[in-house]
Amino acid sequence: MIKGRMRIEMGTAFADGLFAMAVEPEVDFDKRQSGANDTQKRDKDTGERMWVVRCVDGDEDAQKRGQAELKVTIVAPVQPVLPDALPGTPFRPVEFENLTVFPYVDGARCKGSGHPQCRGRVAYSFRATGMRSPARGAHSATTKAA
């Protein structure tokens, strides 16, 4: 497994733009399985709630490979608000503040212990401190209660 995280600029990670679809609480499956009332995942360092923003990458090649959908995790005390949609469309262009990427090896496609049977790949997990519309100011300050 590749360890460590790296700060990355939006234009480098998503040169063709990124579009937000939804924000939802990140579920802590251990809490859910134990029957806890509050099953939202918390950041290990700050204890703040974790939110998942489901997005679509504007890169046509990623779409052709079936890798256009991704999630970005935001750690915040209250649910972040999605940017406004482009007039007349359902598309919500988004930029993330302090975007960080975590590369890791996704071995879910590996069967057996031999290399010929393994179709593992490098995958990426993204985290940010907030989000905003590319044409406007920060949305991280405009939030709604969880």
Side-chain angles (χ1 to χ4, degrees):
M1 180 165 148
I2 301 172
K3 293 186 178 185
R5 61 183 173 182
M6 176 176 55
R7 175 97 192 275
I8 188 166
E9 295 298 320
M10 280 292 300
T12 301
F14 306 106
D16 294 317
L18 194 61
F19 302 91
M21 297 185 298
V23 178
E24 44 201 41
E26 185 168 353
V27 176
D28 184 324
F29 292 102
D30 290 336
K31 284 183 180 179
R32 188 166 89 179
Q33 191 172 19
S34 72
N37 289 334
D38 180 4
T39 60
Q40 188 167 2
K41 198 173 212 179
R42 309 291 176 151
D43 180 70
K44 291 176 186 175
D45 296 328
T46 66
E48 288 189 344
R49 296 178 179 274
M50 297 174 75
W51 307 91
V52 176
V53 183
R54 292 186 310 121
C55 301
V56 174
D57 190 341
D59 179 15
E60 287 184 34
D61 288 336
Q63 294 169 15
K64 290 176 187 174
R65 292 188 310 268
Q67 297 175 337
E69 291 188 33
L70 60 110
K71 296 176 181 178
V72 177
T73 300
I74 295 179
V75 177
V78 294
Q79 184 172 349
V81 176
L82 289 175
D84 294 333
L86 293 172
T89 76
F91 300 108
R92 298 172 181 270
V94 66
E95 286 186 354
F96 287 95
E97 300 163 1
N98 302 310
L99 184 65
T100 308
V101 62
F102 299 83
Y104 65 95
V105 176
D106 179 4
R109 298 181 187 179
C110 293
K111 300 201 185 330
S113 59
H115 175 71
Q117 297 177 351
C118 184
R119 296 185 192 267
R121 64 182 178 93
V122 175
Y124 303 93
S125 174
F126 295 95
R127 199 179 249 208
T129 58
M131 67 177 156
R132 64 176 176 259
S133 171
R136 297 194 193 143
H139 274 252
S140 57
T142 308
T143 55
K144 62 183 177 183

